[in-house]
Amino acid sequence: MRYGDELRRSLMEGTKVLADAVGVTLGPSGRNVLLGGDPARATKDGATVVRELERLAGDRVSSLGLGLLRHASLTVAEGAGDGTTSAAVLGEAIYREAVRSSMPPPLLARELTEAAEAVCEWLAGKARPVDGQVQMAQVARVSCGEVGLAGLVTEAFTRVGKHGAVMIDEGDGAEDEIVWEEGYHWPGKAFYGAEQRWSPGTANVVLCDKRGVTTKEVAALLESIGGPVLWVAAEPGIVVPLLAANREKIESRVVPPPAHDADALEDLAALTGAGVWMDGIGPEAGKAQVEVGRGGVRIWDGEGDARDRAAGAEGARKAKLGGAMAVLKVGAFTGAQMSERR
């Protein structure tokens, strides 16, 4: 057991290990980190480094500090799409200064909130929209670290528009290429079978927003529609083990809906002709061509008609409903190189 300053120092040792390891990758001039394994690999991707560091040998308390900062930085990346390294470096610095100053937690939280608001206001005043292919290529170059790959990203966004969908997937060889595809696409990961691409062709699409569906309800629905089935639900509950156990009889995948999009299920309903299953409203399956893989979920050629919803939508929703999507297939010579370039 550890208490007080001894506990805080031990936690700080763990946060410092993580921040020091990932901090060297920060920015366009960041350096590589060598990760052990068979084979060993070098990477400049901060998120990869953070995911690799799970615990410290021989010190459970320091490992707890590392784990807390690891969770915080990955949560930032999941919500913002980037910023794993920045979150780890800033988080370690904030904790270190908090320990040094012995500031009471409520006061620290208030000071951090006020500082964050001030920084966001300053950044909003300095920000300017990306204008034209030259600036877009500059942003892509910083993100990709490669001129050639940055050029393909720029080409993809130029064609689909700034709100269009550009997804990353593994290529079939060593060359990079862009594949233009139609459909509604989102980076959802299947609750089972995520390691395999699932392309059943036309499938029944079930959109579930009801919590606590029963085995009897699911069995009755599956008996009425047959397979294959794409089940879309944020909280699928018993559906995952039920369909996973019976996927030899009924081809299926269960996936979450698009994150941070309150209109997603209704948009998918318009595309597929399905009804959203919720409390007080029973299930109504639709049909569409579907594909689920490591690159996400894609739905196209549905029985519905989304033109009216697309006409009233804006930005990314409008692009998705209109089917503006490019898939950037990244090439590599080895699996390690593929992981780094993706």
Side-chain angles (χ1 to χ4, degrees):
M1 299 290 290
R2 302 180 198 180
Y3 303 92
D5 290 340
E6 182 185 5
L7 172 62
R8 285 186 281 270
R9 285 194 297 270
S10 296
L11 292 173
M12 190 161 57
E13 289 176 4
T15 61
K16 187 176 186 304
V17 168
L18 182 65
D20 288 348
V22 73
V24 298
T25 70
L26 185 64
S29 59
R31 291 168 290 170
N32 287 323
V33 173
L34 183 62
L35 302 176
D38 187 17
R41 65 189 190 279
T43 180
K44 187 180 170 295
D45 179 46
T48 300
V49 178
V50 170
R51 290 190 181 95
E52 193 77 11
L53 289 171
E54 295 184 357
R55 63 184 61 87
L56 299 177
D59 192 335
R60 295 176 60 185
V61 178
S62 295
S63 292
L64 180 61
L66 184 149
L68 289 170
L69 185 60
R70 178 179 183 270
H71 175 72
S73 58
L74 291 177
T75 300
V76 168
E78 182 179 346
D82 199 0
T84 310
T85 302
S86 299
V89 172
L90 286 173
E92 188 274 334
I94 290 170
Y95 181 68
R96 173 169 26 89
E97 291 302 312
V99 171
R100 182 188 63 79
S101 64
S102 299
M103 183 179 293
L107 178 59
L108 175 63
R110 186 166 62 249
E111 294 285 342
L112 287 174
T113 300
E114 292 175 358
E117 291 174 351
V119 170
C120 288
E121 183 179 352
W122 183 84
L123 288 174
K126 293 291 185 180
R128 62 182 188 274
V130 175
D131 184 20
Q133 291 190 34
V134 174
Q135 291 186 358
M136 191 180 298
Q138 291 171 344
V139 174
R141 172 68 177 84
V142 172
S143 179
C144 298
E146 299 180 29
V147 175
L149 200 55
L152 289 179
V153 172
T154 304
E155 180 185 347
F157 273 107
T158 300
R159 180 161 170 177
V160 303
K162 65 179 181 179
H163 294 298
V166 176
M167 306 306 299
I168 309 297
D169 201 359
E170 292 185 3
D172 297 325
E175 299 296 324
D176 302 323
E177 63 174 333
I178 299 177
V179 178
W180 309 102
E181 294 183 345
E182 60 178 333
Y184 187 104
H185 194 288
W186 74 96
K189 183 178 180 181
F191 287 102
Y192 59 85
E195 69 283 356
Q196 298 174 334
R197 183 180 296 277
W198 187 62
S199 302
T202 301
N204 296 290
V205 180
V206 178
L207 308 173
C208 185
D209 196 31
K210 179 182 178 181
R211 295 184 179 181
V213 296
T214 65
T215 302
K216 184 177 179 180
E217 289 174 322
V218 175
L221 177 60
L222 294 177
E223 185 177 352
S224 66
I225 63 176
V229 176
L230 176 68
W231 194 290
V232 183
E235 298 182 16
I238 57 116
V239 176
V240 171
L242 188 62
L243 285 178
N246 291 278
R247 55 180 165 171
E248 295 298 326
K249 299 178 181 178
I250 300 178
E251 281 192 85
S252 64
R253 286 294 186 275
V254 182
V255 299
H260 313 299
D261 187 351
D263 299 303
L265 287 179
E266 294 294 341
D267 288 346
L268 289 171
L271 286 165
T272 63
V276 180
W277 187 5
M278 58 184 69
D279 292 331
I281 301 177
E284 181 182 351
K287 286 185 180 293
Q289 297 282 315
V290 304
E291 183 177 73
V292 182
R294 293 180 64 182
V297 185
R298 182 165 70 104
I299 293 179
W300 72 103
D301 284 347
E303 289 187 340
D305 187 348
R307 285 177 294 183
D308 290 341
R309 290 187 69 83
E314 296 181 354
R317 277 189 65 226
K318 189 178 186 70
K320 286 184 176 182
L321 288 167
M325 186 183 71
V327 179
L328 178 55
K329 291 186 173 291
V330 178
F333 289 101
T334 65
Q337 186 186 24
M338 176 63 73
S339 298
E340 171 66 12
R341 298 194 75 217
R342 285 194 66 188

